[in-house]
Amino acid sequence: MTPSSWQQQAFAIDARVNALRASKHPNFRTQYLRRRSQLLRENAANSYDDDQSVQMERQAYLRTRVQLLQNRYGILCDLSSTRSVSARSSRISESPERRGSLSDWSLSESRVQRGDVVPTADAEASRAIVGGTTIEENYAFVGVHHIFDQHSAPVNMVKFANNDRSLLCCCSEDGTLSICNVTADPPCVVAILQGHSKAVTGCDWSSSNDFIASSSLDGSIRLWNVTAGQIPSCLRAITSCEAGTEILCCLFHPVNGNLLVTGNSKGVVQVVNVSTGINPKSGASKMGGRVQAIEFESSGQMLWAGNDKGVIFSFVLGPVNGRISKCRRLSLGDHCSVTCISWRAWCSREARDPTLLVNATNNSVYLFGVADSEGKLLLKRRFPIKHKELTVHSTFCPIMSFRQGVCVVSGSEDCCVYFFDIGNERSPCFNKLQGHSSPVLGISFNYDESLLASSDQQGLVILWKRVSRNSSSATSPTDC
């Protein structure tokens, strides 16, 4: 790990929780990050010894820093992985020789093959933080908080801002994005972002929530300035140099916010510098089909992409130079399209296994374990839903290790929202929300799990509120 890479990872960890520091004093938060950046730069400038012992000390520091912030704020489940991932070759192979060292990964291949689910039943220390309630009580989302209907076409994705319980971005096939404040009284639409000439296919918040990137069938990426207190505006439009290319998904690099990764209809995973609009050298890789879903692990050095052929590739990406290299390939079968990929690593001390959640158009939601440092995937669970054609999404619950049971939530083409307990093999579905009258496409939790947003084919966005375990009005979840 180079000094600059270590510095960026350390800064990213603090930047992601900065919104929670001194909530009534934004000037202090800005000053804190500036001083933090200055100290890290000075430390990196004075560090010339980059041997293995120094790397181990840096990794230990990053792990300790994450644990302290988790104890302080009780969130940040997706920041637990600060491992260094290295790629030795871009050649795709599933041979045993290609397996990377497992010393940096807590999930062993044998454990995944057995189907063990984490956190384990022994994770008492983590569960003690929130009490011993059942998973049905923890995820009793049975009440409607609000309904948004500002879009005239399908809303194919909804995404809450990072470490924020209020701001929600919705992207629609009507060519617009909307930003909603879901905790205002009453909830309201803050802004409508207009600029794309065709359907918006994806969006992502920057780590500081100051910017939103959006992709579209018009072949462009747009960077929007949504800094609090300013009128939202389009800062840059980056158009594909190849005519007829549709951009189907986009994602900010979790460490280097100046890099954006996109997937297009030509089967290319492309890295873009959002400041210059330039594609870095060696920053593209062709995987075939139509790249419809991409996802990073939290250090930003490992990337997964799925296409309409049912194939998932893993890539290693340089966080500084943007160089991208293929590592692994997994096929889900013929006549199957990947529409969503989500990554999480449990943050409990008992289990830190990296895991992928994948939606596919063979009526399935897959749960994969990440078995090595090159992104090899091994199947752990498969959940049935109605999904044959549309871009249905799913998500992990944000607070994974602090609950009894582990929850994943998915939309479905039968107009329902499904909750699955991945530790229950006999009857994993423990809750089903029935409020939409058309297929449910987008799903997103806010960071404290107090609200769940779901969007559908008719353009409606429903906010579901969780019933408090102490509430006398709590009702039993609908049977699946």
Side-chain angles (χ1 to χ4, degrees):
M1 181 186 295
T2 63
S4 60
S5 175
W6 171 83
Q7 170 199 350
Q8 289 176 348
Q9 291 188 32
F11 183 77
I13 290 172
D14 279 89
R16 292 194 185 187
V17 299
N18 201 44
L20 303 179
R21 292 189 180 97
S23 59
K24 297 182 180 180
H25 301 282
N27 291 335
F28 171 80
R29 298 199 303 268
T30 302
Q31 183 181 9
Y32 179 90
L33 281 185
R34 287 176 178 174
R35 180 57 177 161
R36 183 78 168 129
S37 178
Q38 179 186 1
L39 292 174
L40 287 169
R41 287 197 305 269
E42 292 174 355
N43 183 285
N46 296 327
S47 298
Y48 300 100
D49 188 5
D50 201 31
D51 59 16
Q52 186 175 2
S53 62
V54 173
Q55 294 183 25
M56 293 177 62
E57 291 177 0
R58 290 171 178 165
Q59 290 288 3
Y61 169 81
L62 291 175
R63 288 193 295 268
T64 302
R65 185 64 177 167
V66 169
Q67 291 173 1
L68 289 173
L69 292 175
Q70 287 168 358
N71 293 335
R72 173 66 178 84
Y73 298 107
I75 56 171
L76 301 173
C77 300
D78 60 340
L79 289 181
S80 60
S81 174
T82 56
R83 308 170 182 87
S84 174
V85 182
S86 62
R88 297 183 299 277
S89 171
S90 61
R91 179 174 59 86
I92 301 175
S93 172
E94 293 294 339
S95 63
E97 302 83 60
R98 289 283 292 149
R99 293 175 189 162
S101 171
L102 296 183
S103 60
D104 289 336
W105 299 84
S106 60
L107 178 64
S108 67
E109 184 172 335
S110 60
R111 227 183 126 183
V112 179
Q113 289 174 332
R114 293 201 312 267
D116 290 356
V117 176
V118 291
T120 66
D122 298 325
E124 300 295 341
S126 295
R127 285 201 300 271
I129 297 177
V130 295
T133 54
T134 66
I135 192 169
E136 289 84 1
E137 292 174 312
N138 287 325
Y139 297 101
F141 284 84
V142 295
V144 174
H145 178 66
H146 191 75
I147 297 177
F148 290 103
D149 62 353
Q150 64 271 17
H151 292 287
S152 58
V155 175
N156 47 46
M157 179 180 285
V158 288
K159 184 171 286 191
F160 275 100
N162 300 303
N163 298 326
D164 190 286
R165 65 190 305 269
S166 302
L167 293 179
L168 176 71
C169 182
C170 313
C171 58
S172 171
E173 293 185 12
D174 63 11
T176 67
L177 299 92
S178 61
I179 302 175
C180 307
N181 186 334
V182 301
T183 59
D185 189 16
C188 61
V189 177
V190 177
I192 300 291
L193 308 181
Q194 298 177 324
H196 288 291
S197 59
K198 293 184 179 179
V200 180
T201 55
C203 64
D204 192 31
W205 293 84
S206 66
S207 59
S208 63
N209 296 328
D210 290 333
F211 305 100
I212 292 176
S214 60
S215 58
S216 173
L217 296 182
D218 63 12
S220 71
I221 296 289
R222 287 183 177 265
L223 183 67
W224 307 88
N225 180 8
V226 292
T227 304
Q230 298 184 20
I231 299 176
S233 61
C234 180
L235 294 180
R236 180 180 294 276
I238 305 171
T239 305
S240 174
C241 58
E242 187 175 353
T245 301
E246 299 172 337
I247 310 298
L248 305 178
C249 50
C250 64
L251 201 63
F252 277 105
H253 191 282
V255 174
N256 185 353
N258 204 36
L259 295 182
L260 187 75
V261 177
T262 66
N264 65 34
S265 59
K266 303 294 184 180
V268 177
V269 178
Q270 178 74 64
V271 180
V272 180
N273 186 310
V274 295
S275 295
T276 63
I278 297 175
N279 301 325
K281 186 178 181 180
S282 302
S285 182
K286 188 173 180 61
M287 59 178 288
R290 293 165 59 88
V291 183
Q292 302 184 134
I294 52 179
E295 177 69 331
F296 277 108
E297 52 90 24
S298 62
S299 73
Q301 298 183 53
M302 180 64 65
L303 172 76
W304 290 269
N307 65 15
D308 64 339
K309 305 297 183 183
V311 177
I312 300 174
F313 279 90
S314 66
F315 301 85
V316 166
L317 190 146
V320 178
N321 56 20
R323 180 183 178 88
I324 189 170
S325 304
K326 286 180 184 175
C327 286
R328 297 281 188 175
R329 179 185 186 275
L330 174 71
S331 176
L332 301 180
D334 298 331
H335 311 294
C336 174
S337 177
V338 176
T339 62
C340 179
I341 303 176
S342 301
W343 179 92
R344 280 294 186 275
W346 279 266
C347 67
S348 72
R349 291 172 294 177
E350 296 86 354
R352 295 185 177 90
D353 296 359
T355 312
L356 279 190
L357 191 66
V358 177
N359 285 79
T361 57
N362 58 357
N363 296 318
S364 301
V365 181
Y366 293 98
L367 185 74
F368 292 100
V370 182
D372 64 18
S373 60
E374 293 181 346
K376 181 176 180 179
L377 302 179
L378 296 176
L379 181 63
K380 299 176 69 171
R381 293 285 185 272
R382 176 183 177 272
F383 307 109
I385 61 170
K386 180 65 175 178
H387 185 195
K388 294 295 291 184
E389 298 178 356
L390 303 175
T391 56
V392 173
H393 293 78
S394 63
T395 185
F396 289 99
C397 60
I399 307 175
M400 293 176 62
S401 67
F402 299 152
R403 303 293 188 190
Q404 175 73 41
V406 179
C407 172
V408 297
V409 183
S410 179
S412 178
E413 291 179 1
D414 63 1
C415 311
C416 298
V417 177
Y418 289 93
F419 290 70
F420 297 103
D421 178 3
I422 70 174
N424 189 330
E425 296 187 14
R426 292 188 176 182
S427 54
C429 180
F430 64 89
N431 195 2
K432 180 171 69 174
L433 305 181
Q434 298 172 298
H436 292 276
S437 59
S438 62
V440 180
L441 306 180
I443 289 288
S444 182
F445 277 105
N446 64 351
Y447 85 92
D448 63 358
E449 297 180 353
S450 60
L451 292 172
L452 173 71
S454 59
S455 62
D456 65 25
Q457 186 74 1
Q458 292 182 346
L460 293 181
V461 177
I462 297 180
L463 294 175
W464 307 88
K465 61 182 178 180
R466 186 178 66 198
V467 176
S468 170
R469 67 185 183 187
N470 296 322
S471 174
S472 60
S473 62
T475 60
S476 301
T478 305
D479 292 335
C480 297

